[in-house]
Amino acid sequence: GQENYGFAIVALIESIWSFTQAPSFDHAKVLVPATVAAAILVLGSGPLITSGNADSIALGLEIATATSVLLGASYVARLVAPFSPSSKEIAFDGLLVALAGFDNFR
């Protein structure tokens, strides 16, 4: 469960850091995927992973894995976008974290 909550926190930190590098209403969209992912990880899969029930743990890990894949896809979309208000390195750091999360949950 600890890795699950840590992944949620790191995803939020990355999105906030990215937003603060070029704050604007249009750039606020980088906060959405990380906020949704953190909510799913903390409120959805987190309690399942820490439940102690094998079936619940398996479902929680499946949810966390899917969340890390989708969050990784959002980072890839930011990387291939022709224009980004913040540096592409920030999105790449997020992609590395998502890959680490995926590797951790599989």
Side-chain angles (χ1 to χ4, degrees):
Q2 185 177 5
E3 296 88 359
N4 200 47
Y5 298 120
F7 181 41
I9 291 168
V10 170
L12 282 174
I13 289 171
E14 183 281 325
S15 68
I16 292 168
W17 181 41
S18 179
F19 176 73
T20 59
Q21 299 305 306
S24 69
F25 184 73
D26 184 52
H27 192 52
K29 63 187 170 208
V30 300
L31 300 169
V32 174
T35 303
V36 171
I40 291 170
L41 290 169
V42 171
L43 302 174
S45 69
L48 293 172
I49 291 172
T50 59
S51 71
N53 177 316
D55 292 333
S56 294
I57 293 170
L59 178 60
L61 290 173
E62 290 170 7
I63 292 170
T65 300
T67 302
S68 67
V69 168
L70 293 173
L71 189 58
S74 77
Y75 292 129
V76 169
R78 284 171 52 191
L79 286 169
V80 299
F83 172 75
S84 177
S86 59
S87 67
K88 301 276 186 168
E89 288 84 358
I90 298 172
F92 183 73
D93 290 344
L95 179 60
L96 290 178
V97 169
L99 290 171
F102 173 77
D103 186 57
N104 189 47
F105 298 131
R106 67 176 172 95

